[in-house]
Amino acid sequence: MSQVRGFIPWIAFVVMATRIGWGYGALTGLVLAGGLLVADRRAGRAWGELVIEVSGVGFFAVLGGMALAAPDSPLKDYAPAMSLAWLGATAWISLAIRKPFTLGIARRSAPPEVWGLPLFYRINAVVTSVWAVAFTLNAAALAVLLHEAPHATAAVIAVKVAGFALPALFTARYPAIAKARAGV
């Protein structure tokens, strides 16, 4: 469950933005991401473990500001796709600086003696890459769908669910496969 926890504000945002409006979605996401961030810092979590939470606070603050400044902006219709694009950018940047965002999450359940192993890094780089690709493709698919068929609610939900479920399934299974291949 700890792997999903950081995505709760993002999921709540998409639900609220789709049902009530992008401003309320941004406010919900900001409150949840900020709350998780504060709770995790108080619990002693390092900043490196909180990449998604920090990214969420930034995104929801920016989007909330946009929603307040221009509530009728045409961007409001694409807020769910923008959130996925932001997550994709977060994942890609974390890879580019050689600090895959999943490292901090994985350290929560892995013993400290494996943190410095090349296999630990490699597994997290692969998992983060899968999330980066999924976020990017999901953002693009959702933007096209929202443009072409904005009222196709079932299709929009299916794209959103697949965009999280498929990489989550990969994340759950890949580490064991990689360890088995490595003979660990």
Side-chain angles (χ1 to χ4, degrees), residues 5-14 22-23 25-38 40 47 49-65 79 82-91 101 135 164:
R5 189 173 179 268
F7 291 115
I8 290 171
W10 299 90
I11 294 166
F13 159 72
V14 170
W22 69 319
L27 178 61
T28 300
L30 181 60
V31 168
L32 289 172
L36 285 174
L37 185 60
V38 169
D40 284 341
W47 287 109
E49 296 179 59
L50 304 171
V51 174
I52 294 299
E53 290 82 354
V54 171
S55 180
V57 169
F59 175 75
F60 298 125
V62 168
L63 191 70
M82 290 187 302
S83 72
L84 292 165
W86 185 286
L87 280 167
T90 299
F101 81 86
F135 289 143
F164 278 92

